Amino acid sequence: MTETLQKGTLYVVATPIGNLADVSARAAWVLAGVDRVLAEDTRQTRRLLDHLDLHKTLTPLHEHNEDRQLAPVLEWLRNGESLALVSDAGTPLISDPGFTLVRAAREQGLPMVTVPGASAVTAALAVAGIPTDRFVFEGFLPPKPGARRKALEALAREARTMVFYESPRRVAGTLGDMGAAFGSDRPATLARELTKAHEQSVYGTVADLAEQVAEGLIPLKGEFVLMVAGAAASSSGLDVNSDHLLTELMTRLSVSDAARMAARITGQGRSGLYQRALVLQERE
Ligand code: SAM
């Protein structure tokens, strides 16, 4: 390695999302060289360090102690220690702790270096088969069904591919709500257990995926990423401005019928179009 490890620097280090062989040579070199490793779960990180044959001091840094740990961690950096921040899996700060520390280090002008590697969002998109030129990462949806439905309805007109992290307990319910919000014909990919022994990546419509989950062809075990094509990519192919269409339809139909008709014409989700129709009606 021609690079020299910098004193007083926070290294934000990505680790594998399952397969330990995915750890980069640079990540291993940084973990070997730093004075301390700040770990979300010390047992999980110990497994990675054992794999790399490294024996390091591990300091817990997770969502429950990040605020409390901030002052000592910043002090260590100011005293010239080099630190590595790692999460359980993948890239720290991506639906994982670390933001409070990184923001504080940024505000205090302390040096930071990123050590990139795996993240479930990019790993899943790479084999999804739905557009990846533009995408929006939504992380975890709200766990309560009402809030989840609202969040999805607000995304019904999103033109970019949407990426969600989801727990196995909620995948079936989320797919049902996605069908209602986006239309059950929307192309989607469900990725499960990426880089692990039971890796699975299934492409279809939202309805196909819900069916395969219901039939047990996609077991509700392990870790999941759900990706859904944006509204534009899944439209009928007609260049229709849905605001104009809804406005025109509402001159003859009720809001609800106009939304249903617009959903059939454009391929967009009925609930999203209904919400939009209500907004347009208020503007009239
Ligand atoms: N920081 C991680 C990253 O960069 O992807 C994400 C951490 S977040 C707490 C954990 C979620 O990421 C899981 O619930 C799942 O949605 C997704 N995930 C992590 N590893 C995965 C894998 N091997 N296969 C599929 N999804 C995964």
Side-chain angles (χ1 to χ4, degrees), residues 135 150 166 219 254:
F135 67 87
K150 258 196 172 156
E166 195 47 289
S254 67

Side-chain angles (χ1 to χ4, degrees), residues 98-135:
F99 176 65
T100 307
L101 171 59
V102 167
R103 184 178 50 185
R106 186 59 75 197
E107 280 168 357
Q108 299 195 13
L110 295 166
M112 277 184 287
V113 169
T114 187
V115 183
S119 187
V121 48
T122 45
L125 278 169
V127 289
I130 52 180
T132 51
D133 50 344
R134 294 171 72 225
F135 67 87

Side-chain angles (χ1 to χ4, degrees), residues 14-19 40 87-97 117-124 137 139-140 164-168 191-196 200 222-226:
T15 59
I17 55 167
N19 191 329
E40 182 186 7
S87 60
D88 281 4
T91 301
L93 282 83
I94 304 300
S95 294
D96 263 342
S119 187
V121 48
T122 45
F137 175 60
F140 288 98
F164 305 87
Y165 284 171
E166 195 47 289
S167 105
R192 174 178 162 262
E193 293 290 82
L194 295 169
T195 77
K196 304 185 201 175
Q200 204 180 10
E223 299 193 280
F224 287 82
V225 182
L226 249 166

